[in-house]
Amino acid sequence: MSNNGPGVTNPMLYDPPEGQSSNSKLMQFVAGVGVSIAAISAGTALGWTSPVLPQLALPEAGNDSVAVPASANNTDGDSGFYLTADQGSWVGAFLAVGAFCGALPAGYLAEKIGRKYTTMSLALPYLVSWALIIFASGAEMLYAGRFVIGIATGASCVVAPMFISEIAETSIRGALGAFFQLFLTVGILFVYAVGPYTSWTTLSVLCAAFPVLLILAMLVIPESPTYLVKQGRRSDAAVALKWFWGPNCNTQNAVETIQSDLDAVKGEAKVSDLFTKTTNRNALFIALLLMFFQQFSGINAVIFYTVPIFKSAGSTMDPAICGIVVGVVQVLMTFVSSVLIDKAGRRILLLQSSFIMGSCLVVLGVYFKLQNDKADVSGIGWLPLASVVLFIISFSLGFGPIPWMMMGELCAADVKGLASALTVMFNWSLVFLVTKTFGTMQEVLGSDWTFWFFGFWMAVCTLYVFFKVPETKGKTNAEIQALLGGKN
């Protein structure tokens, strides 16, 4: 297609007269859902071990091992192989290792072949990984499957938020930016709801349907206008904008704005640019710290303790139902966040999140301290349960979706792929660190001090967000860069 602007060769690119242009948000939301199927796929990968490993443990295996049946073609009812407790933990941890490895290539690919085709290509490792898992005949195949699905998950965490941030107009960038975490929780909920009631191979087959849907969705969705302008394909960018923003949008103004943002950061970005340029350095530092606080909120500790806390409150609810309840709460509250984020702003949602989560962690620590000291806690069994529910609500409103969304909107266009990749690598390093050391922390510090440890970081987080994190609601990329450079 020609790189020239609107003309007789492409009537689609005619813009309405000045003052009569208008934008439609419908297709932006449709595209957001389509791209976020990658997040659903990542969510199924994240949630998979939760219902599968406990469900398939044989009673005679005791506490040292988790039994995992052979592949679906084994019909004799016997387990084909077993996993020790350590092997079971590595089945979970290999996803984080793969995600770390998948982030940087995804950022590179997004800049070389575009956001659309990089997102579409993620379906391949997802499908390969589910095939390895479905036909696994030993721990090694499970390791390989979890590593490959980790690569796809890490890549999804880079490309999807970047793609969504570039197709959304400013007024709904926050709402669409929250889609990644929202659909991640949808994927987790799917596994929590289906996993306990199906075989592990059936669950894996069902999960493999989402990468197929991702391919179909990406066949329809155009390339990011920002990427197209970067490639000098201004007419293609205008056509894409007409698809995303409606036929009555003013593509000339939109393309000029994108070009202006790109001209402000001319040239191909180098790794050194992230640290030598003040705006890039500040954006990267904020994105990294938001990911640090997301993982050191203790979300994994709270999720791990959900079933024991339900029981301590006198609940006889099935653990599978507990997981579904937690999953539903996460989905609903992340949806509420996507509605609020462009009205309330990023900072206030982050502040409530860190303050409330910190308070809940202190309460949980006190509860477990009393329990360990053999105090009678029967009268306050409702308190930790209320704390867990409030914690999950607060996390889902703030530190669940917002770090992913701000990662996509803080960085300048030339460094966005690289910065997003480094941020995602950092996040998954923390996931690996926290999940692998959590058991040791419990043994060394005790449950009470483990919760207080995470509570301390939430106190630090509250101060950091209050003093250092800028409000990006309603601001263009140029305005955000000015804020980061201290030119507000």
Side-chain angles (χ1 to χ4, degrees):
M1 185 177 287
S2 169
N3 290 333
N4 299 324
V8 293
T9 58
N10 196 340
M12 274 186 67
L13 297 185
Y14 278 116
D15 288 333
E18 195 69 34
Q20 295 181 27
S21 62
S22 62
N23 294 349
S24 169
K25 297 178 174 61
L26 175 62
M27 297 311 291
Q28 295 174 63
F29 281 103
V30 169
V33 171
V35 174
S36 295
I37 297 174
I40 300 179
S41 301
T44 59
L46 283 168
W48 184 83
T49 53
S50 182
V52 169
L53 295 182
Q55 171 197 2
L56 300 176
L58 292 179
E60 61 267 29
N63 293 327
D64 329 328
S65 64
V66 178
V68 182
S71 55
N73 56 7
N74 181 4
T75 58
D76 61 5
D78 295 327
S79 295
F81 63 92
Y82 301 92
L83 298 178
T84 65
D86 184 58
Q87 287 174 325
S89 72
W90 277 108
V91 167
F94 261 111
L95 183 140
V97 176
F100 178 88
C101 297
L104 198 57
Y108 176 81
L109 274 178
E111 296 299 337
K112 291 301 177 185
I113 68 171
R115 285 56 160 152
K116 173 187 172 82
Y117 292 110
T118 302
T119 304
M120 186 183 294
S121 71
L122 295 180
L124 179 60
Y126 275 124
L127 290 171
V128 168
S129 62
W130 286 124
L132 285 168
I133 290 168
I134 291 164
F135 296 105
S137 57
E140 292 75 16
M141 283 185 72
L142 281 184
Y143 291 165
R146 294 292 290 172
F147 178 75
V148 173
I149 208 165
I151 290 174
T153 299
S156 298
C157 293
V158 173
V159 181
M162 181 198 307
F163 198 165
I164 291 171
S165 73
E166 291 179 351
I167 64 176
E169 57 185 292
T170 304
S171 64
I172 59 169
R173 194 178 59 229
L176 279 180
F179 268 31
F180 181 79
Q181 180 70 16
L182 172 62
F183 284 90
L184 195 76
T185 60
V186 169
I188 293 171
L189 176 59
F190 174 82
V191 171
Y192 282 2
V194 175
Y197 309 106
T198 62
S199 70
W200 66 293
T201 47
T202 301
L203 174 65
S204 301
V205 169
L206 293 173
C207 290
F210 293 109
V212 176
L213 291 177
L214 178 63
I215 294 173
L216 297 175
M218 296 313 300
L219 287 172
V220 177
I221 298 170
E223 179 57 87
S224 155
T226 299
Y227 173 78
L228 293 170
V229 173
K230 282 184 75 172
Q231 299 302 307
R233 298 163 56 188
R234 290 167 63 100
S235 289
D236 290 352
V239 172
L241 282 165
K242 290 286 187 183
W243 194 95
F244 289 121
W245 292 10
N248 294 321
C249 74
N250 190 319
T251 58
Q252 292 190 64
N253 287 350
V255 168
E256 287 304 324
T257 299
I258 294 170
Q259 187 69 63
S260 176
D261 288 342
L262 291 170
D263 289 343
V265 287
K266 287 180 181 176
E268 286 295 315
K270 303 185 293 290
V271 174
S272 59
D273 293 340
L274 285 172
F275 305 98
T276 56
K277 191 172 181 180
T278 303
T279 53
N280 292 341
R281 186 170 62 246
N282 288 344
L284 179 64
F285 193 64
I286 291 169
L288 291 175
L289 276 178
L290 289 179
M291 291 301 187
F292 175 87
F293 290 126
Q294 182 192 68
Q295 292 306 317
F296 276 75
S297 68
I299 181 64
N300 291 310
V302 172
I303 295 292
F304 180 86
Y305 265 101
T306 297
V307 172
I309 287 172
F310 268 69
K311 288 180 178 176
S312 70
S315 172
T316 56
M317 194 181 294
D318 185 288
I321 303 299
C322 292
I324 293 171
V325 169
V326 168
V328 169
V329 170
Q330 283 188 299
V331 170
L332 290 178
M333 290 302 107
T334 308
F335 174 76
V336 171
S337 176
S338 71
V339 174
L340 290 177
I341 202 166
D342 282 317
K343 296 181 173 64
R346 285 65 158 154
R347 274 169 49 86
I348 190 66
L349 290 176
L350 288 172
L351 284 169
Q352 69 78 26
S353 190
S354 58
F355 180 79
I356 293 175
M357 287 193 298
S359 302
C360 292
L361 288 163
V362 170
V363 169
L364 287 168
V366 170
Y367 177 82
F368 280 103
K369 172 68 173 171
L370 292 172
Q371 198 175 57
N372 293 339
D373 292 344
K374 309 301 182 186
D376 181 14
V377 293
S378 58
I380 56 169
W382 58 270
L383 188 59
L385 180 57
S387 297
V388 166
V389 173
L390 186 58
F391 180 97
I392 292 170
I393 288 173
S394 185
F395 177 84
S396 301
L397 284 172
F399 265 91
I402 293 178
W404 296 110
M405 184 270 297
M406 290 192 72
M407 177 186 76
E409 70 177 0
L410 281 171
C411 300
D414 65 327
V415 297
K416 186 176 291 187
L418 183 59
S420 296
L422 292 176
T423 303
V424 170
M425 290 170 71
F426 180 68
N427 180 278
W428 283 104
S429 299
L430 294 175
V431 170
F432 181 82
L433 176 68
V434 172
T435 53
K436 286 299 284 183
T437 60
F438 178 65
T440 305
M441 286 178 65
Q442 285 180 274
E443 293 172 11
V444 175
L445 300 177
S447 301
D448 47 0
W449 282 100
T450 298
F451 282 110
W452 289 336
F453 170 81
F454 292 120
F456 164 78
W457 284 113
M458 286 300 92
V460 174
C461 173
T462 303
L463 293 173
Y464 176 74
V465 172
F466 185 81
F467 288 109
K468 292 294 184 180
V469 176
E471 179 56 73
T472 56
K473 179 185 77 168
K475 291 182 170 59
T476 64
N477 185 264
E479 290 169 336
I480 291 170
Q481 297 311 303
L483 265 181
L484 292 169
K487 300 173 185 174
N488 50 319

